[in-house]
Amino acid sequence: MNRLHLAILGELHSTENRIPATPWRSFGKREWECALGWLDLSGLAIYLRHKIEGSNGWAAFPDSVQSALKNRHTGNQLRTAAIFSEFRALIESFEEKSVNYAVLKGIALLPDYCPDPALRTQYDHDILVDEASLDRAEQALLNLGYRRKTGKEGESTLVYRRPEPQIRFSQSWEGLYSPELGRSVELHLTLWEEAEERIHLNLSNDFLERCVPREWEGLKFRALCDEDCLLFQILH
């Protein structure tokens, strides 16, 4: 990790509502290109842009960096809108099919873990379901155009994707923040992948019994209670 990476982490960690005198313009083009790629993959690019905007500190950064961060923010806003549209369709279909579910991560973390969904770089939808509801959940996904990815027998996480996303994989920032990037739906039968992680945890099996109603932008859905949500974040 180089000086620019460390300076960015220090800025994101700071609670001061101002950009300090770090010589951001002294770093070269290649250093910034490397840092922007790292920010994209770590999910921190939008947070850095948010910090700069809130501190009115744009003048301290090179013009190319300003443009890069602003373009990422614009793309992520469009992508977030597409994600929420998908999420609404998923929840409405699960409710219609009487699926016993709880949303994991993503929109379920708002606003406690993240104040604005446009700050996150979400790439899939994670939902806990019980085995008795699995067939109904799968039918709901099939009706929405998702197909199950081939996996191993007995897996506790089932992955569903739409067959032909406009962008399947991307190594460019435009693709990573594009609403056209394909997103999967993961149905989890448990909160801990014991076979994969090879660590036994004595977890309870009543997470769905303790789930609570949540709401975002007028959409009501079920999610883990606060204590279980914290536990799940620690495990992952």
Side-chain angles (χ1 to χ4, degrees), residues 145-209:
Y146 292 90
R147 296 297 180 266
R148 182 175 170 181
K149 177 184 174 183
T150 302
K152 299 177 182 178
E153 188 69 26
E155 285 184 324
S156 58
T157 299
L158 308 179
V159 181
Y160 298 79
R161 294 192 177 103
R162 287 198 169 104
E164 296 298 333
Q166 293 190 33
I167 302 176
R168 186 177 295 276
F169 303 106
S170 179
Q171 297 185 7
S172 69
W173 74 263
E174 292 95 338
L176 288 173
Y177 296 98
S178 171
E180 307 302 333
L181 182 66
R183 289 173 291 275
S184 61
V185 177
E186 295 188 2
L187 298 184
H188 298 261
L189 298 177
T190 178
L191 293 190
W192 180 249
E193 305 287 343
E194 185 169 313
E196 181 177 339
E197 302 296 343
R198 300 182 181 180
I199 298 175
H200 173 69
L201 293 179
N202 188 24
L203 298 179
S204 66
N205 295 317
D206 59 350
F207 294 107
L208 288 170
E209 296 176 19

Side-chain angles (χ1 to χ4, degrees), residues 25 30 43 56 62-63 83 89 100 111 114 117 120 128 132 154 172 200 205 211 218 224:
R25 290 180 177 270
R30 292 188 64 181
N56 195 26
D63 293 350
I83 288 173
N100 188 16
C114 179
R120 302 185 71 253
L128 178 69
S172 69
H200 173 69
N205 295 317
C211 71
L224 298 179

Side-chain angles (χ1 to χ4, degrees), residues 19-218:
I19 297 295
T22 301
W24 301 106
R25 290 180 177 270
S26 68
F27 296 102
K29 179 180 178 181
R30 292 188 64 181
E31 290 175 293
W32 272 113
E33 288 177 348
C34 176
L36 286 168
W38 166 69
L39 285 167
D40 291 334
L41 294 177
S42 64
L44 295 176
I46 306 301
Y47 283 98
L48 179 59
R49 177 261 168 205
H50 181 69
K51 181 66 182 293
I52 297 170
E53 180 75 19
S55 305
N56 195 26
W58 285 114
F61 291 81
D63 293 350
S64 61
V65 176
Q66 295 183 37
S67 177
L69 292 175
K70 290 176 180 178
N71 286 339
R72 284 161 168 76
H73 172 66
T74 299
N76 203 51
Q77 284 184 308
L78 296 174
R79 196 173 66 89
T80 300
I83 288 173
F84 186 72
S85 179
E86 286 178 346
F87 181 71
R88 180 183 292 277
L90 287 169
I91 296 306
E92 290 177 348
S93 187
F94 278 17
E95 293 285 354
E96 181 182 350
K97 295 288 186 183
S98 299
V99 175
N100 188 16
Y101 74 92
V103 177
L104 307 173
K105 303 187 294 186
I107 294 172
L109 301 180
L110 305 172
D112 296 334
Y113 289 73
C114 179
D116 185 344
L119 291 173
R120 302 185 71 253
T121 49
Q122 179 179 340
Y123 295 114
D124 56 17
H125 302 274
D126 293 89
I127 303 175
L128 178 69
V129 299
D130 65 0
E131 290 198 45
S133 294
L134 186 55
D135 289 343
R136 296 194 297 276
E138 180 168 70
Q139 188 58 55
L141 291 173
L142 292 175
N143 292 345
L144 293 172
Y146 292 90
R147 296 297 180 266
R148 182 175 170 181
K149 177 184 174 183
T150 302
K152 299 177 182 178
E153 188 69 26
E155 285 184 324
S156 58
T157 299
L158 308 179
V159 181
Y160 298 79
R161 294 192 177 103
R162 287 198 169 104
E164 296 298 333
Q166 293 190 33
I167 302 176
R168 186 177 295 276
F169 303 106
S170 179
Q171 297 185 7
S172 69
W173 74 263
E174 292 95 338
L176 288 173
Y177 296 98
S178 171
E180 307 302 333
L181 182 66
R183 289 173 291 275
S184 61
V185 177
E186 295 188 2
L187 298 184
H188 298 261
L189 298 177
T190 178
L191 293 190
W192 180 249
E193 305 287 343
E194 185 169 313
E196 181 177 339
E197 302 296 343
R198 300 182 181 180
I199 298 175
H200 173 69
L201 293 179
N202 188 24
L203 298 179
S204 66
N205 295 317
D206 59 350
F207 294 107
L208 288 170
E209 296 176 19
R210 296 198 300 271
C211 71
V212 296
R214 297 194 187 277
E215 182 175 350
W216 186 258
E217 296 292 328

